[in-house]
Amino acid sequence: MTFLPIVTRELRVTARKRSTYWIRFAAAALALVICGWSLLFFTQMGLGHQAGKMLFGGATALAWLYAVIGGIFKTADALSEEKREGTLGLLFLTDLKGYDIVLGKIVAASVNWLFGLLAIFPILALSLLLGGVAPGEFWREILALANLLFYSLALGMFVSSFMRSERHAAGLTIALLMLMLWLPAQIAHWHQQSTGAFELSLWFILPDVTRPLHYASDNLSRTSSDLYWGSLLGSHLVGWCYLLLASLIVPRTWQQSAGKISRWQEGAAQFTYGRNRERRQQFRARALAVNPFYWVAARARGQSLVLWIILAAVVMSFLISWLVDPSDADNAWVHLWPAFLLHTVLKLWIPLAACRRFIEDRRSGALELILSTPLTAGEIVRGQWLALWKQFRGPVFFVLIIDALLLFFGWAAISKGDGKDQLLFLSLSGAGVLVFLADLVALAWLSMWRGMKARHSYVAWLWCVVQLLVLPWLVFYVALTAGAMLIFLPRFVNAGGANNAASMTKWMEWLPHLLTSGWVLLSLAAAILTAWWARRCLQQQFRHQATLSYQPVKAGSPPPLSSAPVPPR
């Protein structure tokens, strides 16, 4: 009898993959380059006594982001993909149980991601040699990061157990993950403010998976060790509850029409396409007159309903926080955060929706059939653009209206301040809106092109986010630190006495404006170049990518999970 046979097989298969070793090498090399450059900057700027603490904080933030997105990219589509391909039912022809499949899939999907996180930990340990970080704090952070990765993977597996659509599974995982990262801490703070308690209530922060990272420091762990260990244990148990629920759901939802959840999915499909046949026919006639592919891509209504809910939740959360603490509303700089968060939500949502249509049509072969008609590649891309405009014009205008209101109230709060502060506030607000609109256009072009190349929508989404949203910030960080070391630091070191102080004051007054200008120019350049490149690729290689089948499985590679022989128990 073999205990957990699928887990045993997946571990053996993973040990024979080259990607297992390359992922560890790439994660460690990237972390080493980032930390090494940051350490060079800290020492050159005379911050050597704080280098260990600052390096540990920055590397922990990157590891936190890496752990959070693990469930979105590795497990959110693990079981739903097997359902779409019809291979999950083959496993239930054996004596395998639900927990065998769930644990086997989570190991298969996440073992490489776990190795990448483990490869980062030795880089974090460099802060122990630099000083400023205690060994106990280091190990508490390691436990919290590993627990966060497990929580994210378990949540993605739970969502995948009752979903079929890849897009819906990824979107619901993102929404639930954002909610669980924000809601427990917010409820605990509201309860503390309403009761006047000295500390947060343990019962409200038990499921908070980010709370152990906050209480891992030596100062807080001495006085609030119960909050650290309580939230660590509570969130870990919640993760196991997700896996338990997934094990109970999978045997009941692997068929197309099984259980109440499938009936809910059927009702959701009717809501998406509409129940009124006459209205559907009217829209079909109007859309076909404009562009046939526009009707194919835009016939599903209500696609942005979840997006509207998230945007409304963000606005309501800031309104409630300002009502609880009215002093925040009088601070002009606080008005920039809601706009930044709303922009980020739309920037993350649009590429996921823009690449989905091409990925699904390529997978089903529908795109090849459409290309056999008189429709050209340019008309197909234009129809997709019209569908995106129909879906996102409401949310975009809503965000722009909120930006205008935030600018109005922020200007009212800063109108009596210094003229330089007013200029900085206006420049930041205007630059944010300008970069937001440019990024939306570039993300739409880029995600459509990535959708012609990727097999899964979350892979295309990840490349879009890294290429257009993450890479410019890394370039900006390198340029900023290099400029500080090569230009500003020698200028201040060579100056002396009063000239040094005067020069420092002058540069510090204009430094925010210089940084804003540099960020805007870099972001606009990245958006324009990315949009031009993606549009050119679509025009020249659309038909080739649409007819290009997926690469065959390499000789010697392991078979998929559902086709592997399962040893008897």
Side-chain angles (χ1 to χ4, degrees):
M1 178 178 179
T2 303
F3 180 68
L4 300 177
I6 298 180
V7 174
T8 303
R9 173 192 176 269
E10 290 302 329
L11 290 177
R12 292 175 178 174
V13 169
T14 304
R16 296 195 297 266
K17 289 182 178 179
R18 292 183 179 179
S19 60
T20 303
Y21 305 95
W22 280 109
I23 288 177
R24 286 185 292 179
F25 173 78
L30 182 61
L32 186 60
V33 169
I34 295 176
C35 293
W37 179 263
S38 301
L39 181 60
L40 176 63
F41 171 70
F42 295 152
T43 53
Q44 291 293 326
M45 297 300 292
L47 302 174
H49 60 287
Q50 300 178 0
K53 191 68 175 178
M54 298 173 67
L55 186 65
F56 185 73
T60 302
L62 294 177
W64 178 89
L65 181 61
Y66 179 88
V68 165
I69 64 177
I72 302 172
F73 296 115
K74 304 306 294 184
T75 58
D77 194 44
L79 295 172
S80 54
E81 182 182 12
E82 297 277 355
K83 295 179 187 178
R84 292 193 305 270
E85 295 178 355
T87 56
L88 187 60
L90 299 177
L91 296 175
F92 286 104
L93 296 178
T94 65
D95 58 348
L96 290 175
K97 305 299 181 182
Y99 63 86
D100 290 313
I101 299 175
V102 168
L103 294 179
K105 292 297 292 184
I106 195 173
V107 169
S110 61
V111 64
N112 283 342
W113 206 265
L114 175 62
F115 286 160
L117 183 64
L118 294 178
I120 301 175
F121 290 162
I123 311 302
L124 290 176
L126 294 176
S127 58
L128 295 175
L129 304 177
L130 297 173
V133 179
E137 180 178 356
F138 169 78
W139 287 110
R140 284 190 293 269
E141 291 282 359
I142 294 299
L143 285 177
L145 289 172
N147 180 66
L148 178 61
L149 177 61
F150 169 74
Y151 185 94
S152 175
L153 295 171
L155 179 59
M157 187 61 65
F158 166 68
V159 174
S160 181
S161 64
F162 60 86
M163 299 295 292
R164 282 187 178 273
S165 171
E166 177 186 9
R167 179 176 63 93
H168 294 163
L172 185 58
T173 302
I174 294 173
L176 290 179
L177 195 57
M178 293 176 61
L179 183 65
M180 295 307 297
L181 292 177
W182 171 80
L183 187 60
Q186 194 65 33
I187 293 177
H189 284 294
W190 288 343
H191 177 266
Q192 183 185 23
Q193 292 177 356
S194 61
T195 58
F198 180 73
E199 292 184 351
L200 298 176
S201 176
L202 180 61
W203 297 104
F204 289 102
I205 64 173
L206 277 178
D208 188 4
V209 69
T210 61
R211 187 58 53 176
L213 292 170
H214 177 70
Y215 285 105
S217 63
D218 273 356
N219 295 332
L220 292 178
S221 63
R222 295 191 187 98
T223 58
S224 306
S225 60
D226 55 337
L227 296 180
Y228 171 82
W229 293 107
S231 57
L232 184 70
L233 179 61
S235 57
H236 190 75
L237 292 178
V238 171
W240 281 106
C241 290
Y242 288 145
L243 294 181
L244 177 61
L245 291 175
S247 302
L248 297 176
I249 292 173
V250 166
R252 295 168 174 80
T253 58
W254 63 270
Q255 291 179 322
Q256 180 66 32
S257 57
K260 294 183 179 180
I261 295 180
S262 296
R263 290 195 291 270
W264 293 343
Q265 293 175 350
E266 182 180 355
Q270 293 180 358
F271 171 78
T272 300
Y273 293 99
R275 298 176 182 269
N276 193 324
R277 185 176 182 180
E278 182 178 354
R279 290 184 179 180
R280 296 202 306 268
Q281 292 178 348
Q282 292 176 357
F283 174 74
R284 180 175 181 270
R286 293 195 306 268
L288 289 177
V290 176
N291 187 295
F293 195 83
Y294 169 58
W295 169 73
V296 174
R299 57 180 176 169
R301 61 186 181 89
Q303 294 182 356
S304 58
L305 178 61
V306 179
L307 177 60
W308 277 109
I309 295 175
I310 295 176
L311 295 177
V314 171
V315 174
M316 290 300 298
S317 63
F318 278 97
L319 288 177
I320 293 175
S321 64
W322 290 342
L323 291 176
V324 173
D325 190 3
S327 61
D328 290 341
D330 297 332
N331 187 357
W333 307 106
V334 176
H335 292 76
L336 296 175
W337 286 106
F340 174 77
L341 188 57
L342 292 173
H343 294 175
T344 303
V345 170
L346 265 181
K347 289 179 184 180
L348 295 179
W349 199 277
I350 283 182
L352 188 62
C355 67
R356 177 187 60 88
R357 171 54 55 187
F358 289 158
I359 290 177
E360 292 182 355
D361 289 347
R362 284 177 59 243
R363 182 185 298 149
S364 63
L367 200 56
E368 293 187 54
L369 296 178
I370 293 175
L371 286 173
S372 64
T373 66
L375 278 178
T376 63
E379 291 174 335
I380 294 175
V381 174
R382 179 174 175 269
Q384 176 68 3
W385 259 108
L386 293 174
L388 291 176
W389 172 248
K390 176 179 179 295
Q391 180 180 354
F392 291 105
R393 61 189 177 188
V396 171
F397 285 137
F398 173 76
V399 172
L400 292 178
I401 292 173
I402 297 298
D403 287 340
L405 293 176
L406 292 172
L407 176 60
F408 174 77
F409 289 109
W411 179 259
I414 205 174
S415 59
K416 299 180 181 180
D418 189 11
K420 294 181 180 180
D421 292 338
Q422 297 176 1
L423 178 61
L424 180 61
F425 179 77
L426 288 177
S427 61
L428 286 175
S429 301
V433 174
L434 185 62
V435 172
F436 167 66
L437 296 177
D439 282 347
L440 291 186
V441 176
L443 282 169
W445 280 113
L446 181 60
S447 58
M448 284 191 287
W449 169 240
R450 290 296 180 185
M452 295 298 299
K453 297 174 65 64
R455 184 181 178 88
H456 299 283
S457 59
Y458 58 84
V459 176
W461 179 85
L462 177 61
W463 278 110
C464 292
V465 170
V466 171
Q467 182 174 345
L468 192 58
L469 300 182
V470 177
L471 189 59
W473 279 104
L474 292 178
V475 175
F476 179 71
Y477 173 72
V478 173
L480 175 63
T481 52
M485 290 186 292
L486 298 177
I487 299 176
F488 296 108
L489 185 61
R491 183 183 182 91
F492 296 141
V493 170
N494 296 330
N499 293 330
N500 189 4
S503 180
M504 176 71 75
T505 304
K506 181 180 178 181
W507 279 106
M508 291 303 296
E509 289 178 354
W510 292 103
L511 183 60
H513 301 280
L514 294 175
L515 294 179
T516 303
S517 302
W519 167 64
V520 171
L521 292 176
L522 180 62
S523 300
L524 291 179
I528 293 173
L529 291 176
T530 301
W532 171 81
W533 173 75
R535 182 174 180 271
R536 184 170 176 269
C537 291
L538 283 172
Q539 291 176 345
Q540 297 181 355
Q541 305 181 33
F542 185 90
R543 185 175 293 274
H544 172 71
Q545 289 295 141
T547 57
L548 186 64
S549 59
Y550 297 120
Q551 296 294 330
V553 180
K554 296 181 180 180
S557 60
L561 174 62
S562 55
S563 62
V566 180
R569 301 180 61 182

